[in-house]
Amino acid sequence: QVQLVESGGGSVQAGGFLRLSCVASGYAISNGCMGWFRQAPGKVREGVARINLGYGSTYYSDSVKGRFTISQDNAKNTVYLQMDSLKPENTAMYSCAAARSAYCPRVREGDFDYWGQGTQVIVSS
């Protein structure tokens, strides 16, 4: 059974940073894809970043490109999302997701099979 557990969310001021972690169990992060999504109140869930675990290639949404960085630590079976220069509009519930397939050209919900419960990020102005 695959479980994804996120941590690292919290409250920061605009311009600050946070690092989110997603620990996977029952899923080897040496292969496949993992991604980060977020959902703000009253809005649809959107993809933020994804990493192809075998190649290490990454993809970012335009809204976070240059500020967020997704990475993996195979020894810890963990994927991270480093979020710098945070803005109030980045406030959302952030969730990680994992895919059975190694084919994940972007960061689309339909490409992912397993989801974590999420961690809340609040950015104040």
Side-chain angles (χ1 to χ4, degrees), residues 20 50 53 57 70 79 81 88 92 94 98 115 125:
L20 306 183
R50 72 97 178 112
L53 301 167
S57 61
I70 188 171
V79 168
L81 184 68
Y94 284 72
W115 294 84
S125 57

PDB file of all heavy atoms in Angstrom, residues 20 50 53 57 70 79 81 88 92 94 98 115 125:
ATOM      1  N   LEU A  20       8.993  21.905   1.660  1.00  0.00           N
ATOM      2  CA  LEU A  20       8.044  20.832   1.889  1.00  0.00           C
ATOM      3  C   LEU A  20       8.723  19.488   1.633  1.00  0.00           C
ATOM      4  O   LEU A  20       9.559  19.370   0.745  1.00  0.00           O
ATOM      5  CB  LEU A  20       6.836  20.976   0.970  1.00  0.00           C
ATOM      6  CG  LEU A  20       6.109  22.315   0.997  1.00  0.00           C
ATOM      7  CD1 LEU A  20       4.881  22.260   0.085  1.00  0.00           C
ATOM      8  CD2 LEU A  20       5.733  22.729   2.390  1.00  0.00           C
ATOM      9  N   ARG A  50       6.903  18.742 -11.022  1.00  0.00           N
ATOM     10  CA  ARG A  50       7.027  17.296 -11.008  1.00  0.00           C
ATOM     11  C   ARG A  50       8.463  16.921 -11.339  1.00  0.00           C
ATOM     12  O   ARG A  50       9.207  17.666 -11.941  1.00  0.00           O
ATOM     13  CB  ARG A  50       6.036  16.636 -11.966  1.00  0.00           C
ATOM     14  CG  ARG A  50       6.364  16.819 -13.437  1.00  0.00           C
ATOM     15  CD  ARG A  50       7.110  15.612 -14.032  1.00  0.00           C
ATOM     16  NE  ARG A  50       7.348  15.817 -15.461  1.00  0.00           N
ATOM     17  CZ  ARG A  50       8.552  16.005 -16.011  1.00  0.00           C
ATOM     18  NH1 ARG A  50       9.640  15.993 -15.254  1.00  0.00           N
ATOM     19  NH2 ARG A  50       8.667  16.204 -17.296  1.00  0.00           N
ATOM     20  N   LEU A  53      11.622  10.526 -11.642  1.00  0.00           N
ATOM     21  CA  LEU A  53      12.533  10.018 -10.625  1.00  0.00           C
ATOM     22  C   LEU A  53      13.715   9.250 -11.204  1.00  0.00           C
ATOM     23  O   LEU A  53      14.781   9.214 -10.595  1.00  0.00           O
ATOM     24  CB  LEU A  53      11.756   9.134  -9.653  1.00  0.00           C
ATOM     25  CG  LEU A  53      10.606   9.862  -8.941  1.00  0.00           C
ATOM     26  CD1 LEU A  53       9.701   8.870  -8.242  1.00  0.00           C
ATOM     27  CD2 LEU A  53      11.152  10.876  -7.954  1.00  0.00           C
ATOM     28  N   SER A  57      14.663  14.621 -14.326  1.00  0.00           N
ATOM     29  CA  SER A  57      14.183  15.796 -15.074  1.00  0.00           C
ATOM     30  C   SER A  57      12.991  16.405 -14.349  1.00  0.00           C
ATOM     31  O   SER A  57      12.212  15.716 -13.695  1.00  0.00           O
ATOM     32  CB  SER A  57      13.803  15.391 -16.492  1.00  0.00           C
ATOM     33  OG  SER A  57      12.776  14.438 -16.475  1.00  0.00           O
ATOM     34  N   ILE A  70      12.011  21.352  -7.160  1.00  0.00           N
ATOM     35  CA  ILE A  70      11.652  20.007  -6.730  1.00  0.00           C
ATOM     36  C   ILE A  70      12.904  19.133  -6.805  1.00  0.00           C
ATOM     37  O   ILE A  70      13.708  19.260  -7.736  1.00  0.00           O
ATOM     38  CB  ILE A  70      10.505  19.431  -7.587  1.00  0.00           C
ATOM     39  CG1 ILE A  70      10.000  18.109  -7.020  1.00  0.00           C
ATOM     40  CG2 ILE A  70      10.913  19.292  -9.053  1.00  0.00           C
ATOM     41  CD1 ILE A  70       8.721  17.603  -7.688  1.00  0.00           C
ATOM     42  N   VAL A  79      10.734  13.224  -1.518  1.00  0.00           N
ATOM     43  CA  VAL A  79      10.783  14.280  -2.524  1.00  0.00           C
ATOM     44  C   VAL A  79      10.521  15.605  -1.816  1.00  0.00           C
ATOM     45  O   VAL A  79       9.674  15.678  -0.918  1.00  0.00           O
ATOM     46  CB  VAL A  79       9.747  14.038  -3.633  1.00  0.00           C
ATOM     47  CG1 VAL A  79       9.581  15.258  -4.521  1.00  0.00           C
ATOM     48  CG2 VAL A  79      10.159  12.840  -4.477  1.00  0.00           C
ATOM     49  N   LEU A  81      10.039  20.022  -2.006  1.00  0.00           N
ATOM     50  CA  LEU A  81       9.702  21.212  -2.790  1.00  0.00           C
ATOM     51  C   LEU A  81      10.235  22.411  -2.026  1.00  0.00           C
ATOM     52  O   LEU A  81       9.687  22.786  -0.978  1.00  0.00           O
ATOM     53  CB  LEU A  81       8.190  21.343  -3.006  1.00  0.00           C
ATOM     54  CG  LEU A  81       7.792  22.509  -3.909  1.00  0.00           C
ATOM     55  CD1 LEU A  81       8.263  22.257  -5.356  1.00  0.00           C
ATOM     56  CD2 LEU A  81       6.282  22.744  -3.875  1.00  0.00           C
ATOM     57  N   PRO A  88       1.805  36.001  -1.392  1.00  0.00           N
ATOM     58  CA  PRO A  88       0.502  35.679  -0.780  1.00  0.00           C
ATOM     59  C   PRO A  88      -0.354  34.760  -1.656  1.00  0.00           C
ATOM     60  O   PRO A  88      -1.084  33.905  -1.124  1.00  0.00           O
ATOM     61  CB  PRO A  88      -0.144  37.048  -0.615  1.00  0.00           C
ATOM     62  CG  PRO A  88       1.017  37.974  -0.419  1.00  0.00           C
ATOM     63  CD  PRO A  88       2.082  37.442  -1.329  1.00  0.00           C
ATOM     64  N   ALA A  92      -2.043  28.013  -0.048  1.00  0.00           N
ATOM     65  CA  ALA A  92      -2.820  26.881  -0.528  1.00  0.00           C
ATOM     66  C   ALA A  92      -2.488  25.648   0.300  1.00  0.00           C
ATOM     67  O   ALA A  92      -1.534  25.653   1.089  1.00  0.00           O
ATOM     68  CB  ALA A  92      -2.522  26.602  -1.999  1.00  0.00           C
ATOM     69  N   TYR A  94      -0.888  22.197  -0.081  1.00  0.00           N
ATOM     70  CA  TYR A  94       0.041  21.571  -1.016  1.00  0.00           C
ATOM     71  C   TYR A  94       0.049  20.056  -0.781  1.00  0.00           C
ATOM     72  O   TYR A  94       0.214  19.604   0.357  1.00  0.00           O
ATOM     73  CB  TYR A  94       1.444  22.134  -0.836  1.00  0.00           C
ATOM     74  CG  TYR A  94       1.609  23.513  -1.423  1.00  0.00           C
ATOM     75  CD1 TYR A  94       1.017  24.630  -0.822  1.00  0.00           C
ATOM     76  CD2 TYR A  94       2.343  23.719  -2.584  1.00  0.00           C
ATOM     77  CE1 TYR A  94       1.153  25.898  -1.371  1.00  0.00           C
ATOM     78  CE2 TYR A  94       2.498  24.983  -3.134  1.00  0.00           C
ATOM     79  CZ  TYR A  94       1.899  26.067  -2.527  1.00  0.00           C
ATOM     80  OH  TYR A  94       2.030  27.329  -3.076  1.00  0.00           O
ATOM     81  N   ALA A  98       2.174  10.630  -6.546  1.00  0.00           N
ATOM     82  CA  ALA A  98       3.108   9.700  -7.182  1.00  0.00           C
ATOM     83  C   ALA A  98       2.399   8.965  -8.302  1.00  0.00           C
ATOM     84  O   ALA A  98       1.190   8.690  -8.222  1.00  0.00           O
ATOM     85  CB  ALA A  98       3.645   8.706  -6.149  1.00  0.00           C
ATOM     86  N   TRP A 115      -1.950   9.883  -3.742  1.00  0.00           N
ATOM     87  CA  TRP A 115      -1.973  11.255  -3.231  1.00  0.00           C
ATOM     88  C   TRP A 115      -1.780  11.282  -1.720  1.00  0.00           C
ATOM     89  O   TRP A 115      -2.257  10.405  -0.996  1.00  0.00           O
ATOM     90  CB  TRP A 115      -3.314  11.907  -3.565  1.00  0.00           C
ATOM     91  CG  TRP A 115      -3.499  12.079  -5.032  1.00  0.00           C
ATOM     92  CD1 TRP A 115      -3.961  11.152  -5.922  1.00  0.00           C
ATOM     93  CD2 TRP A 115      -3.201  13.250  -5.797  1.00  0.00           C
ATOM     94  NE1 TRP A 115      -3.961  11.672  -7.192  1.00  0.00           N
ATOM     95  CE2 TRP A 115      -3.502  12.967  -7.148  1.00  0.00           C
ATOM     96  CE3 TRP A 115      -2.706  14.511  -5.472  1.00  0.00           C
ATOM     97  CZ2 TRP A 115      -3.334  13.896  -8.175  1.00  0.00           C
ATOM     98  CZ3 TRP A 115      -2.542  15.443  -6.482  1.00  0.00           C
ATOM     99  CH2 TRP A 115      -2.849  15.123  -7.818  1.00  0.00           C
ATOM    100  N   SER A 125       1.067  39.015   3.641  1.00  0.00           N
ATOM    101  CA  SER A 125       1.706  40.182   3.003  1.00  0.00           C
ATOM    102  C   SER A 125       2.266  41.139   4.039  1.00  0.00           C
ATOM    103  O   SER A 125       1.990  41.013   5.223  1.00  0.00           O
ATOM    104  CB  SER A 125       0.697  40.903   2.114  1.00  0.00           C
ATOM    105  OG  SER A 125      -0.420  41.289   2.875  1.00  0.00           O
TER     106      SER A 125
END
